[in-house]
Amino acid sequence: MAENIEVSESFANALDTEDWDRVEELWLEALDTPPIPVEELFEVRRIIWKAGRKNLARTLLELLADSLETTGNPRQTLKALRELTRLADGKPGPELLDRLQASFSAARSNTPSLKPVLAHHDIVSARRPLEELETAERWLDHDLETVVEVVGQGVGRVVDVNLELGNIKVDIGSARPVSVPIGAVDRYLKPLPEGDFRRRKVEDPEGLTAIVAESPGEALVEVLISLGEPSGVGSIKAALEGVLGSEKWTSWWAKARKHPRVLSSGTGSRLRY
């Protein structure tokens, strides 16, 4: 469900009365008052567009994009330019697409496969630039060294990105890396955020082993957060493989489950934490 974004009372009053000059005045004031309230302005833009003032919406969005380009926040700039591209009256011009690709490059500058991905998925020359952008983002969301969960199989690192064959390989410690077509990555691969328990198993197994031994309750809480849903004992044990020996499980579990943040529901085989 989309998050409801509230607009300020001043904006709300101007929009309710369709005082478009006042709306523009408030928009310019917002651009001159850091930090720019980007999400609020996107909501204002949506309301303006819905009211049929499409040219005004585009103009204000262009002003937002111009301002964001000077703030050094390429991800917000990319969001604004993506929206401008989506709302373009006809085919977006090459200048807008150049800016779109430049902001994307800046937002993903630390990803190792950026250049080859853009060489393979050039946004500026694409017939459907936003689709090309989404494909490029999908590749870089699963770039080399990214720690991901392979649904139903385990957690590991991306070890190969093959743009020609259109697939990604993940090393989860088995005999052969798991190969996933780029079109299926959203279903079968889940990038794990920084600090996630299962990601730390891959990045710092020794450090995590010490934490699991020293703080059973806190470690269990982190495991449950990582799993993202009420989980049975089997799933918890699987998440701890490699950082907790099987011979230590019983005593560890007896301590860990007493943590006040660990709640349970169900009984028997349906018991979940």
Side-chain angles (χ1 to χ4, degrees):
M1 182 180 296
E3 182 182 356
N4 291 324
I5 305 297
E6 293 187 3
V7 300
S8 69
E9 183 177 353
S10 298
F11 261 130
N13 290 337
L15 291 166
D16 287 343
T17 58
E18 297 190 348
D19 186 346
W20 305 119
D21 288 340
R22 179 58 176 158
V23 169
E24 184 172 353
E25 180 183 346
L26 290 169
W27 188 283
L28 293 174
E29 289 176 2
L31 297 184
D32 288 336
T33 308
I36 297 173
V38 177
E39 297 304 323
E40 180 187 12
L41 294 182
F42 268 102
E43 178 62 12
V44 172
R45 194 285 309 157
R46 185 191 68 80
I47 296 170
I48 296 171
W49 187 273
K50 189 176 180 180
R53 305 283 296 194
K54 295 183 178 181
N55 287 337
L56 176 60
R58 291 192 192 98
T59 298
L60 295 181
L61 191 57
E62 177 67 51
L63 292 173
L64 173 61
D66 289 345
S67 295
L68 289 173
E69 282 177 315
T70 67
T71 65
N73 191 327
R75 290 188 180 273
Q76 287 188 336
T77 303
L78 176 61
K79 185 175 181 179
L81 292 172
R82 185 199 299 265
E83 190 74 348
L84 268 177
T85 303
R86 186 178 72 84
L87 299 178
D89 187 11
K91 181 176 174 58
E95 180 183 352
L96 175 56
L97 296 181
D98 279 334
R99 293 167 67 196
L100 180 69
Q101 181 156 304
S103 66
F104 173 67
S105 297
R108 299 300 187 110
S109 60
N110 62 340
T111 51
S113 300
L114 174 63
K115 288 184 178 180
V117 164
L118 283 179
H120 208 79
H121 297 282
D122 183 67
I123 297 166
V124 178
S125 63
R127 291 182 60 188
R128 297 182 175 86
L130 291 183
E131 290 183 15
E132 208 71 17
L133 173 61
E134 289 174 3
T135 300
E137 288 176 322
R138 190 173 295 114
W139 279 108
L140 296 185
D141 284 344
H142 305 86
D143 204 359
L144 290 168
E145 297 299 311
T146 302
V147 179
V148 298
E149 175 189 4
V150 182
V151 176
Q153 297 191 53
V155 173
R157 288 185 188 273
V158 175
V159 293
D160 184 56
V161 171
N162 193 317
L163 291 158
E164 297 298 329
L165 296 180
N167 65 35
I168 288 170
K169 290 183 179 179
V170 183
D171 179 7
I172 59 173
S174 53
R176 298 177 60 185
V178 178
S179 182
V180 181
I182 187 62
V185 294
D186 292 338
R187 294 196 302 273
Y188 296 110
L189 298 183
K190 295 181 180 180
L192 298 179
E194 187 174 352
D196 180 272
F197 184 91
R198 291 176 297 162
R199 173 170 169 170
R200 290 161 65 194
K201 275 180 58 179
V202 175
E203 295 177 332
D204 182 22
E206 292 183 2
L208 192 58
T209 298
I211 291 172
V212 168
E214 294 167 5
S215 305
E218 293 296 335
L220 177 55
V221 169
E222 290 192 33
V223 168
L224 294 173
I225 291 172
S226 175
L227 292 173
E229 61 183 5
S231 302
V233 172
S235 297
I236 295 169
K237 290 181 74 172
L240 288 162
E241 286 181 5
V243 293
L244 179 68
S246 57
E247 73 283 358
K248 300 178 182 178
W249 163 258
T250 302
S251 60
W252 183 91
W253 177 243
K255 297 175 185 176
R257 64 190 298 186
K258 294 178 182 179
H259 192 282
R261 291 182 61 190
V262 177
L263 306 177
S264 63
S265 62
T267 58
S269 62
R270 296 184 178 180
L271 184 62
R272 297 292 181 269
Y273 294 89

